[in-house]
Amino acid sequence: MSEKPITVTQAAVTRHTPHLPKPHLRALPLRAVPLRSTCGRPHPCPPAMQRRILEQIGLFQGLSGDELASIGARMESLAWSAGEALFSAGEPAEHVYLLAAGQVKAFRTTATGQRTSLDFFGPGDVLGGLTWAGGSGYTETALALVTTCALQIDAGAFREVMFAQPSVALGVLDVVSGRLARARSAEQEQASATVTKRVATGLLRLADTFGVPGDAPGTTLIQLPLSRADLAAMAGTSAESASRAMSRLRRSGLIDTGRRWTAVLDADGLLAAK
């Protein structure tokens, strides 16, 4: 977890937008060092670093150093390279993952292979087996977008932590209910809003979660590698329709895009997009 970040220069993440000044956005450092094929196996994580990670997880806010150390003793440190699965839909939901570094996308796949229910996670987020019905499996697949590190804990051990620490159990309820609320909101948008509106709304959500301020006032950089399939899943539409919507937003001067990044140039305009 101590790899040296590689910073993308401004020149690599900006390009000219017709009728608009170049946004001059500041890039988010990337952890782009390739990992070995065995990277998903346990590897050492010094106790001091493990504690810093746990202190950044909202579920454990307010716990003492001894309580964090006790929880950390149940965990293993893992890492994945870009494109590798932390877990796959249908597999037994045996573990909970606490993200320490990197970016992960989680999605479900229909019988025809179309991705749905797309969500993104970053450092401090919790995912995996947050339900413990007997024999239950993961309901989605989680893929690392960049080099990603996480602490893994057995789902049964995590349940014991919740019994011992009611604040953690309440935090899990908040996480699960929040994700259900986002899923319901997305369903309502897909039923009533245009594709362009849905794409714009999705980009604003990503900007709120992953965005970093650009050098130009009011600009935000989302440094996520969004594929056409990702955009389609985010908006509940086809890849072709999502691409057309992105083109409309670019022509309107509301966004700019490049390899592995999207820039929000006018958040108010995106909010009002039809």
Side-chain angles (χ1 to χ4, degrees), residues 141-223:
T141 296
L143 292 181
L145 294 172
V146 296
T147 299
T148 296
C149 300
L151 297 176
Q152 173 188 275
I153 181 171
D154 179 80
F158 192 65
R159 186 177 185 181
E160 293 174 0
V161 170
M162 290 200 304
F163 282 135
Q165 302 292 343
S167 64
V168 175
L170 291 174
V172 170
L173 287 175
D174 288 341
V175 169
V176 173
S177 62
R179 290 175 187 172
L180 287 174
R182 289 201 304 271
R184 293 194 185 104
S185 176
E187 290 176 356
Q188 293 173 352
E189 289 174 359
Q190 291 174 15
S192 60
T194 65
V195 171
T196 300
K197 181 65 174 179
R198 277 141 48 191
V199 169
T201 300
L203 292 176
L204 287 171
R205 281 198 293 261
L206 293 179
D208 286 341
T209 304
F210 295 99
V212 294
D215 292 335
T219 60
T220 303
L221 178 67
I222 308 167
Q223 198 159 298

Side-chain angles (χ1 to χ4, degrees), residues 65-158:
D66 289 342
E67 289 168 335
L68 291 176
S70 175
I71 295 171
R74 299 168 175 257
M75 297 180 172
E76 292 182 319
S77 178
L78 304 173
W80 298 262
S81 56
E84 289 191 310
L86 282 69
F87 53 83
S88 299
E91 294 177 349
E94 297 175 340
H95 299 103
V96 174
Y97 298 86
L98 314 173
L99 295 186
Q103 298 167 343
V104 172
K105 66 179 177 183
F107 57 87
R108 300 181 184 183
T109 305
T110 66
T112 60
Q114 182 179 1
R115 291 181 178 180
T116 62
S117 305
L118 182 69
D119 206 352
F120 292 90
F121 300 92
D125 284 331
V126 181
L127 65 159
L130 291 177
T131 58
W132 296 273
S136 63
Y138 296 116
T139 59
E140 55 192 7
T141 296
L143 292 181
L145 294 172
V146 296
T147 299
T148 296
C149 300
L151 297 176
Q152 173 188 275
I153 181 171
D154 179 80
F158 192 65

